[in-house]
Amino acid sequence: MALLTQAPKGTQDVLPRDSYKWQYVEGLAMEIARLYGFQEMRVPTFEHTELFNRSVGDTTDVVQKEMYTFLDKGNRSITLRPEGTAGMARAAVQNGLLNEALPLKVSYLVSCFRYEKPQAGRLREFHQFGAEVYGSDSPACDAEVIAMVGEIFDTLGVRDLRLELNSIGCPECRARYHKALKEYFAAHMDELCDTCRERLEKNPMRILDCKSPVCHKIAKDAPKVLDYICEGCSAHFEGVKARLDALGMPYVVNPTIVRGLDYYTKTVFEFVTDQIGAQGTVCGGGRYDGLLAEIGGPKLPGIGFAMGIERLLKVMDACGAEFPEQPACAIYIGSIGEAASVKAFALVNELREEGFWAECDTMGRGVKAQMKYADKLGCRLSCILGDNELESGRANVKNMRTGETHEVAFDDLIDFVYDAQVAVLTESIRETEINP
Ligand code: ATP
Ligand code: MG
């Protein structure tokens, strides 16, 4: 029987001591996306299973092995989203957004669900920040999206990420390439895993993405897609590279990237790191010119990407990227006796209205235990109200870091807390100036 206090395998809690990191990363990604013209879209956590079968592709690992699919009480087949792109595309079509100004740019933060073997960097519920552009097939659009991802990583201080780039061509290139792959893999038929043997006829490119070591080894010497793409696709790829060159954005062309989802065409890319072990792909994306039509929408091109937040946070830790300081309580107002407790409550409320994190006792504790709590909380300032303080209207405010105390009138408390916060700020600025 499952332990009631044990979360399901492959899931993770984000604890209060870490959530500010998530808020920082997610907020910053969304904000940069806004500068690039993306607006947030929110879609349901589950969709009709058929949507993923059609878009992600029913010969992919994701659809064949990894989806959380169930029949609901109305006997509909429902799937928890394994990725964000399909739902975004569905919502754009359903709500007529593609009849409005193009290109349409949307961004999203979503949880995704894949029944995978849990390991470092591979969870069953994970989170993605992603973005999609609909309506443009220009290489400028590919470069813009890639540049935006680069800007997000730069701003977050992520170093040593490699941008790997490839083009997997249009359906016509694909047909030629599939033929070459079939010929190549047919000669290795007996060595391939069962799944790949099935894929050989329907979708031989999927073999390139197989995780079995034997298939992986055979795939190494398979024909390379870049040798099979048509002039148009080749020119498109050159256009993307020329724009990245113009930005001085380094990349490597990796002809083995095919991506694990079927909807991709032309440009595909990954941002990869060697710093967090085997699951080093932090962000993946590409163009999907056939997807909207495939799900019954207009014949419009699209491109998008998604980055895994868990992996992003891991690589930030690994490369020593800085996070803002964890928010701390500005002041704890302790009290002795009922009248002082009421006053503390009122003062704390005033401080909160001014935007400060302030605390007072809500446990009915004695003053010693109150101060112990203030200490544990890491409060910057504290004071204790008793009969004398109520009478004089003044309190001794202690700086919890330096031990310094100041007598402050209740009416001046907000200004004092404000100044103390500024002082802390200047101190850290001074520190960085002295020791850059
Ligand atoms: P991988 O090759 O690691 O299986 P993928 O190609 O399946 O990745 P995508 O579908 O492109 O991944 O998803 C985009 C990003 O989402 C990945 O680059 C990764 O950061 C993150 N991601 C994907 N699957 C997981 C997972 N099971 N756990 C944590 N993060 C994941
Ligand atoms: Mg995967």
Side-chain angles (χ1 to χ4, degrees):
M1 203 183 84
L3 264 177
L4 293 185
T5 53
Q6 200 75 49
K9 206 169 148 178
T11 64
Q12 239 175 32
D13 302 310
V14 177
L15 301 180
R17 62 169 172 267
D18 292 321
S19 56
Y20 77 101
K21 292 186 176 182
W22 284 71
Q23 289 166 355
Y24 166 65
V25 163
E26 292 176 346
L28 191 137
M30 276 295 186
E31 203 169 300
I32 291 178
R34 218 165 18 242
L35 296 181
Y36 281 75
F38 291 81
Q39 284 179 295
E40 187 185 7
M41 184 150 79
R42 299 189 187 194
V43 296
T45 306
F46 56 83
E47 299 274 354
H48 293 123
T49 302
E50 188 57 20
L51 177 69
F52 300 113
N53 291 351
R54 284 293 276 277
S55 56
V56 172
D58 48 22
T59 56
T60 59
D61 268 359
V62 169
V63 168
Q64 285 188 333
K65 304 179 183 164
E66 299 172 1
M67 293 205 306
Y68 279 89
T69 298
F70 58 95
L71 288 180
D72 72 6
K73 291 192 198 304
N75 246 3
R76 303 170 197 89
S77 183
I78 294 292
T79 295
L80 302 185
R81 68 176 158 233
E83 52 94 65
T85 298
M88 290 291 150
R90 196 265 313 137
V93 173
Q94 179 178 344
N95 294 288
L97 304 184
L98 301 166
N99 308 324
E100 295 168 17
L102 295 180
L104 170 69
K105 300 178 178 181
V106 296
S107 58
Y108 60 84
L109 282 165
V110 293
S111 50
C112 300
F113 306 85
R114 296 186 192 179
Y115 194 77
E116 302 200 70
K117 195 166 164 251
Q119 48 195 291
R122 204 177 281 295
L123 295 153
R124 289 186 175 168
E125 182 186 12
F126 60 98
H127 298 80
Q128 290 186 337
F129 165 74
E132 317 284 348
V133 187
Y134 307 109
S136 164
D137 58 10
S138 159
C141 188
D142 306 43
E144 182 180 66
V145 164
I146 294 171
M148 178 171 102
V149 177
E151 176 70 21
I152 291 171
F153 286 135
D154 277 352
T155 311
L156 287 172
V158 181
R159 282 183 300 275
D160 301 325
L161 269 186
R162 198 166 58 247
L163 166 58
E164 299 193 352
L165 207 59
N166 193 20
S167 172
I168 57 173
C170 59
E172 287 86 73
C173 312
R174 193 77 51 85
R176 267 199 309 280
Y177 183 51
H178 275 185
K179 193 158 163 273
L181 280 180
K182 274 183 201 167
E183 280 166 19
Y184 173 81
F185 284 118
H188 297 273
M189 186 73 166
D190 302 337
E191 299 153 74
L192 295 176
C193 73
D194 292 347
T195 323
C196 282
R197 228 172 285 153
E198 270 171 45
R199 286 165 169 161
L200 187 56
E201 258 324 296
K202 277 169 93 180
N203 196 347
M205 227 169 78
R206 287 278 65 88
I207 304 176
L208 300 175
D209 209 40
C210 181
K211 302 247 157 48
S212 122
V214 179
C215 300
H216 193 72
K217 189 153 171 268
I218 299 170
K220 273 210 168 108
D221 295 319
K224 300 289 180 282
V225 65
L226 280 180
D227 297 328
Y228 294 82
I229 64 174
C230 66
E231 249 174 64
C233 289
S234 188
H236 189 275
F237 194 43
E238 291 308 313
V240 177
K241 289 192 288 181
R243 283 169 178 80
L244 296 177
D245 291 337
L247 299 184
M249 190 166 179
Y251 57 85
V252 285
V253 173
N254 178 352
T256 67
I257 296 182
V258 292
R259 311 283 306 123
L261 315 173
D262 264 356
Y263 46 62
Y264 288 116
T265 53
K266 295 185 185 165
T267 315
V268 287
F269 62 91
E270 294 185 349
F271 284 79
V272 189
T273 175
D274 301 322
Q275 303 174 78
I276 55 171
Q279 269 62 57
T281 306
V282 184
C283 174
R287 181 166 275 291
Y288 46 78
D289 289 348
L291 174 65
L292 291 166
E294 182 67 33
I295 63 166
K299 241 184 151 160
L300 284 173
I303 180 168
F305 70 84
M307 59 176 79
I309 308 277
E310 287 85 355
R311 288 189 201 174
L312 171 61
L313 287 166
K314 247 178 138 183
V315 70
M316 285 180 72
D317 276 335
C319 74
E322 284 193 27
F323 289 93
E325 218 180 308
Q326 182 157 21
C329 174
I331 183 165
Y332 188 93
I333 305 186
S335 56
I336 304 167
E338 175 63 7
S341 168
V342 171
K343 182 67 187 171
F345 184 75
L347 285 174
V348 158
N349 201 53
E350 269 178 50
L351 281 155
R352 288 175 178 164
E353 278 173 4
E354 288 300 314
F356 292 108
W357 177 1
E359 295 283 347
C360 61
D361 177 56
T362 53
M363 296 277 290
R365 283 182 175 133
V367 72
K368 223 169 157 186
Q370 290 179 28
M371 286 304 121
K372 209 165 153 191
Y373 178 71
D375 207 35
K376 276 196 185 149
L377 219 52
C379 300
R380 297 238 157 96
L381 305 169
S382 70
C383 60
I384 299 168
L385 309 188
D387 291 343
N388 291 344
E389 284 75 15
L390 290 190
E391 207 166 290
S392 67
R394 305 172 77 80
N396 251 334
V397 181
K398 181 171 162 191
N399 183 320
M400 300 282 276
R401 306 214 170 146
T402 62
E404 259 178 278
T405 57
H406 290 270
E407 206 184 283
V408 183
F410 293 164
D411 289 344
D412 298 335
L413 198 55
I414 287 168
D415 284 343
F416 184 82
V417 174
Y418 180 79
D419 288 344
Q421 296 273 320
V422 169
V424 170
L425 206 67
T426 359
E427 224 167 78
S428 69
I429 290 168
R430 237 183 272 137
E431 263 169 37
T432 45
E433 272 170 8
I434 297 164
N435 309 311

